[in-house]
Amino acid sequence: MIKSYYERYYQAVHDTNKPEAFRVIDEAIADGVTPEAVVFQIIIPAIENMINALATDIDITISQHFIAAQVAEELTEKMLLLFEKKPSIEGRVVIGTPPGDFHGLGKKIVSGCLRANMFLVKDLGLNITPEQFVDEALAYDAQVIGISSM
């Protein structure tokens, strides 16, 4: 049963059909699939598949990956509220772009993937100085500083 939802969800994010991806997950929940199974057996495997496809399939685009990460992030946050037991967090990350770089798409993709994989992510935004990265990482108790640059 979950395999069918996974395949339909993956096809929806592959086609950048956000409303269909949400419909598939809503249907899965209505049919008794647990929120935990939705996240760990549908959403995370789909985003991992999209990451692998980006590296191997010339027909996969950054925009498809962006939509997949965005949908994964939104649905994961929605499902976390429904978990019977709060999941363990894998770590904390601060992410931003350095001074002079105003390309935020890659940062958004990485943030979405991290959140879907149970990382707490603090997005610092664009034009962040080295001192701001360090200060925010210390204040947030982050294990990783992500600097997105084009």
Side-chain angles (χ1 to χ4, degrees), residues 6 9 13 22 25 35-51 65-80 83 87-93 95 107-122 140:
Y6 166 80
Y9 174 80
V13 294
F22 276 81
I25 298 305
E36 293 86 351
V38 166
V39 171
F40 296 112
Q41 295 178 34
I42 299 172
I43 296 172
I44 290 175
I47 200 73
E48 289 172 348
N49 198 7
M50 287 294 290
I51 291 168
H65 200 276
F66 174 71
I67 295 295
Q70 184 182 54
V71 169
E73 179 181 358
E74 287 180 41
L75 284 171
T76 298
E77 294 209 8
K78 180 179 173 183
M79 291 298 109
L80 287 174
F83 272 31
S88 63
I89 299 303
E90 296 295 324
R92 294 174 179 262
V93 177
I95 191 167
K107 174 178 63 69
K108 290 179 182 181
I109 291 170
V110 170
S111 294
C113 293
L114 287 168
R115 285 184 175 115
N117 281 283
M118 301 301 128
F119 284 85
L120 296 176
V121 179
K122 184 173 186 179
Y140 194 58

Side-chain angles (χ1 to χ4, degrees), residues 13-31:
V13 294
H14 181 275
D15 294 343
T16 65
N17 188 343
K18 188 175 177 178
E20 179 60 19
F22 276 81
R23 268 193 294 280
V24 170
I25 298 305
D26 287 343
E27 184 181 319
I29 292 293
D31 288 345

